Every structure is written in structure tokens, then in C-alpha cells.
Amino acid sequence: MELTDAACVSKARAGDSDAFRVLVERHGRSLFRLAFRMTGNEQDAEDVVQESFLRAYRQLAKFDERASFGTWLYRIAANCSLDLMRARRRRSEHQAPAPEAGAPVEDPVLALPSGAPSPERLALSAEVRERVAEAMEDLSATERTAFVLRHFEGMCIEEVSRVLECQPGAAKHSVFRAVQKLRRALEPVVSAAQ
Amino acid sequence: MTHLSEEELILHYYGEQGNSLTAERHLEECEECRMLYGSLQRVLNVVDSLPVPERAADYGAAVWQRIASRLPARRWRWNLYGPWRWAAAAAAFASLLVVAFLAGRFYPPPQHQPAPLTAAVDPQAGERVLLVAVGDYLERSQMVLIELANANPKGTLDISSEQERAENLVSENRLYRQTAAHTGDGAVAGVLDELERALLDITHVPARISPEELERLRQRLESEGILFKVRVVGSNVRQQTEPAPTVRQRL
């Protein structure tokens, strides 16, 4: 009989590391997807996955069995990703010089000829992917987390607010701001494709 | 005509708007909002096209390989050595406490009391030790209850190991309950009494239990709310035994 998450957690809390292994094997891939969408980088996502499981193991005693283990784990992963993104942003603020004002920005997507390919083909093109990745990168850590959890993971605003440890209103505004920024950045791409 | 705001359109897209029907009707009637909504949908569809590198089915196993050696040792080791050893140790410890309590109660006090020492032994230390033992006991009882509450068998389920643990817990329970009653902690004694009956219920069903019998057992346990009561008492006990945190940790 396959053990439920709750049963595995109980056993793991009692020191049964095999039970925790089952949880890692069960949730590893979905956690990677979340981490990748949060960080936008494969290596960072790998680090987040490992760190999340280690944190989860250390904090098993705090887990409330009435809650879903998956959601709890996502919360840990989202926070690991937030920490990593904030640290990365702090580092880049110190290191990378800001682009000169008025300097031309290469924009391959905007430079597409009017007779561009169909939206489907365009959506798959490397340029569009790059542009989407850039737009995601421009979101603040909180906006990105809120957006990823709402848009890709399908969490409701209430759940997003629990992950972000803020009021639902604040979580909602983070989602709004993220969508507005993405829309402003990607609208030309979509329009050019039509 | 009042148009839908961008925020309302976003909420509508995610199905989070209170009055979705009103928004739907407005979109049918208003071309301007319909265009905006269409643009929003297209942008978010493009975002969906962002690929995520695939991981093989055994990715979780690979992650485990990488982290297994970094996992800290857990505090509860009894499972590694078999529950009976821990149970025997706990029972012996509880017996000692009962004997110490009774001896203190009935042994005649000395005629001449020595002068009180300034650095006397902390009178609450014994109580704290007992609380730690009760806390661990409740935790282990809770695990048995949770495992049965969460079991989801398709056919007959073998619960002999849970029954064995329940049996050990019953014999420990009496000692803790008596000690709690002697020390005047009626609330803990009451919950331990109910827990003992629940554990006896578990030991009295067949070791190979059918899904229907398991459901009946679960309903009995749920109707008594024993898991909740054990959690509450366990949480109170933990709070009394844990030192105040000095560093605030996230999550």
C-alpha cells in the first residue's frame, strides 16, 4: 500500500528517513518546476530544490498534519527562491553598472517585420522566450512569487498570501502589478505577431 | 457605461472575481473591454509558452542521493532500535516518578528541619521531566492515531504493528495517568484516560482489518475527538517544556 504524505511525515518525524525519501521522490519534480519558474535558472532551481527539502526535514516538527504537505513544501520552496532572488539582486546591484540612459536597446522581437509568423510559431520562437524571460526577470521577487504561485501553480490569492506571509490584499496587488508589468512588456510582442 | 478596470479583468481571468457573471455580461456588450481582455489573455498565453526543463522520472531519487548525507539526525531515535526499548525505559522512568511521589507523600517528615539552602534544588525540575516524558508519549500515541486515520487501503490492511505499538502505549498510559491524577492535573489525566480507551479499541480489532472495519474504527475515534484532544494537550505540554526561542526563524 502506498503511504499517504501525512503517514510519511509521521514516520519521518519519528526518525524514519526512508519515509522522507518517499516524500522527496514524490515531490521532487514538481518542486523543480516551481523553483525554475521562480528563479528562471536551472542551477538555481536545483539549489532551491535541495535547500527546500533540507529545510523541510529540519522543520518537520512544526508541520501541522491537518495541512497539505505539498502546499507546505511549496511555501518553503517559494521562500528559498525569494531568498535566493533577493540575494542575487543585491549582488547584481552592487556589481553590474546600470545601462546608459538613452542607449539603444536591442529588441529582436520588436524588430520583427510586419509579416511575422503566426502567433503559435512566434510563441515558440527563441526571441519570444527570451523576451518573456526578461519580462519575468524585471518583476520584483515578491511580484514574481505571487505571479508564479497564482498563474502557474493555480493557488488562490488567499494561499498566495499565506506563502508570502502578507494580507490577501497585498498578495492580490502583487499579482496585479506583475500582470501589468508583463502586459506592458509583452504587449508589443503579441501585437507584432498579429 | 462603466468599464471594467484592469484589476477586474485580471481577477476575472483568474476566476477570482466575486461577481463573475456581471463581468462576463459586460464583456459581451463592451467591445473596448473585450479587446483589453483579449490582449490580456494573449499576453498570459505567451507567458505560458515559457518552457521549463524537463526532469526524468527518477529525479526525486537523484535529489535524495544528494541530500541524504546532509540530513541532520532526528531527535527521536526510538524507531531505530524498536519501540519496545523506549517504552520500557519510559515505563521504568514513570514508575520511578510514581514511587518518588508516593514516598514523598507517606514518608514521615524529619523532626528537625535543616535550615533552607539558598541554592536548593529547583522544585519544578521533576515536574518538567515528567512533562517531557508525557509530551513524548503523546507524540507517539498521536502517530499511531494519525497512521490509522490516514490509511487508505484498497483491500484488507495489516495493522499488527500499529496494534503492537498501541498495546505498549496502553501499559505506559496507566502510569502516566496515575501520576497525573496524583499530582492533581485532572485535564491531562482525563485525556490520558480517553486515549487509553482509544488505544484499547485499536488493539481489540482484527490485525488484518477490512476497509469497512477500519472506517468504523476511524469513526469511533473521530466521534470522540481524541486526536484533537491529544494534539491540544501535547501542544500545551510542549509549550511548557520548550525554552523560549531566542532567534526568530522564518518558517
Side-chain angles (χ1 to χ4, degrees):
Chain A
M1 187 186 70
E2 194 173 84
L3 286 174
T4 60
D5 279 359
C8 287
V9 169
S10 291
K11 283 172 176 280
R13 278 173 143 177
D16 181 349
S17 58
D18 265 351
F20 194 70
R21 179 179 53 77
V22 173
L23 293 169
V24 174
E25 290 179 358
R26 195 175 286 168
H27 294 278
R29 290 173 85 193
S30 58
L31 210 62
F32 174 81
R33 277 194 294 276
L34 170 75
F36 181 80
R37 282 179 171 138
M38 294 277 291
T39 61
N41 176 297
E42 223 168 320
Q43 188 50 54
D44 285 347
E46 290 284 0
D47 291 345
V48 165
V49 170
Q50 289 183 42
E51 179 58 25
S52 303
F53 279 120
L54 287 169
R55 276 194 202 180
Y57 189 78
R58 283 196 293 266
Q59 293 168 8
L60 271 183
K62 293 182 189 170
F63 173 66
D64 179 351
E65 287 99 349
R66 286 167 295 182
S68 147
F69 177 76
T71 305
W72 183 69
L73 189 62
Y74 267 37
R75 189 157 68 211
I76 292 176
N79 277 306
C80 281
S81 306
L82 266 173
D83 291 347
L84 190 136
M85 287 189 289
R86 283 174 181 152
R88 201 169 53 189
R89 200 151 286 193
R90 274 196 299 273
R91 274 200 306 274
S92 64
E93 276 167 11
H94 288 297
Q95 288 165 4
E100 278 179 44
V105 179
E106 197 180 337
D107 191 339
V109 175
L110 290 180
L112 282 170
S114 56
S118 68
E120 288 78 14
R121 278 189 58 201
L122 192 68
L124 293 171
S125 74
E127 289 90 346
V128 171
R129 287 206 295 265
E130 197 178 320
R131 188 62 193 264
V132 173
E134 279 171 12
M136 291 286 285
E137 191 75 20
D138 284 343
L139 302 179
S140 73
T142 310
E143 288 162 0
R144 184 165 181 152
T145 308
F147 178 74
V148 167
L149 295 177
R150 182 64 198 88
H151 186 80
F152 292 110
E153 303 302 332
M155 285 189 187
C156 66
I157 294 290
E158 195 76 30
E159 288 171 309
V160 175
S161 72
R162 280 199 290 272
V163 173
L164 293 174
E165 293 172 335
C166 65
Q167 293 296 314
K172 195 191 280 186
H173 281 286
S174 294
V175 175
F176 287 158
R177 280 196 303 274
V179 175
Q180 283 163 350
K181 282 185 183 178
L182 290 172
R183 197 164 157 217
R184 262 179 239 125
L186 299 173
E187 183 115 62
V189 183
V190 177
S191 304
Q194 285 185 315
Chain B
M1 179 186 285
T2 312
H3 292 295
L4 294 172
S5 67
E6 191 176 13
E7 294 184 352
E8 284 173 322
L9 290 173
I10 294 168
L11 286 179
H12 183 63
Y13 178 86
Y14 287 124
E16 294 235 14
Q17 204 176 29
N19 200 343
S20 171
L21 204 60
T22 311
E24 198 63 56
R25 280 200 192 122
H26 180 84
L27 285 171
E28 277 172 20
E29 292 163 6
C30 176
E31 195 181 346
E32 198 179 324
C33 287
R34 204 162 50 242
M35 279 173 66
L36 271 172
Y37 188 63
S39 145
L40 177 73
Q41 282 177 313
R42 282 189 295 277
V43 165
L44 291 173
N45 288 346
V46 167
V47 173
D48 281 334
S49 73
L50 197 64
V52 175
E54 259 308 306
R55 286 295 180 262
D58 63 351
Y59 173 70
V63 172
W64 174 251
Q65 289 297 318
R66 290 197 289 271
I67 65 168
S69 61
R70 294 164 60 195
L71 293 179
R74 294 212 72 77
R75 194 161 60 92
W76 302 291
R77 308 288 287 183
W78 57 271
N79 221 27
L80 295 174
Y81 303 101
W84 62 271
R85 286 195 187 191
W86 203 97
F93 177 69
S95 317
L96 202 64
L97 281 176
V98 174
V99 169
F101 175 82
L102 295 174
R105 190 79 182 264
F106 298 112
Y107 196 78
Q111 294 295 320
H112 303 289
Q113 294 285 342
L117 297 172
T118 48
V121 175
D122 180 1
Q124 291 181 327
E127 193 186 337
R128 275 203 299 272
V129 173
L130 173 64
L131 282 173
V132 170
V134 170
D136 277 332
Y137 170 77
L138 290 172
E139 187 120 20
R140 284 179 293 123
S141 304
Q142 200 177 314
M143 273 183 246
V144 172
L145 296 173
I146 288 169
E147 276 170 35
L148 290 173
N150 290 322
N152 188 20
K154 291 188 176 62
T156 309
L157 178 70
D158 183 357
I159 60 163
S160 52
S161 82
E162 283 81 4
Q163 285 184 315
E164 194 186 333
R165 283 156 64 194
E167 233 172 273
N168 289 330
L169 290 165
V170 167
S171 57
E172 275 183 70
N173 183 299
R174 288 178 188 138
L175 291 162
Y176 288 127
R177 184 161 44 83
Q178 284 164 4
T179 311
H182 277 307
T183 52
D185 201 336
V188 173
V191 171
L192 287 171
D193 187 38
E194 284 184 52
L195 177 59
E196 183 179 356
R197 274 184 272 132
L199 292 168
L200 283 170
D201 266 357
I202 294 169
T203 61
H204 289 160
V205 294
R208 294 187 64 77
I209 193 169
S210 67
E212 295 75 32
E213 286 168 321
L214 179 65
E215 191 48 42
R216 277 198 294 276
L217 174 65
R218 270 204 290 242
Q219 279 173 2
R220 273 208 303 279
L221 298 177
E222 269 172 32
S223 69
E224 289 159 12
I226 188 64
L227 188 54
F228 177 72
K229 290 174 191 169
V230 169
R231 271 192 189 126
V232 171
V233 173
S235 162
N236 288 341
V237 166
R238 267 197 305 280
Q239 275 175 7
Q240 290 176 57
T241 55
E242 278 177 4
T246 51
V247 179
R248 183 181 175 267
Q249 285 185 317
R250 284 188 71 203
L251 279 171

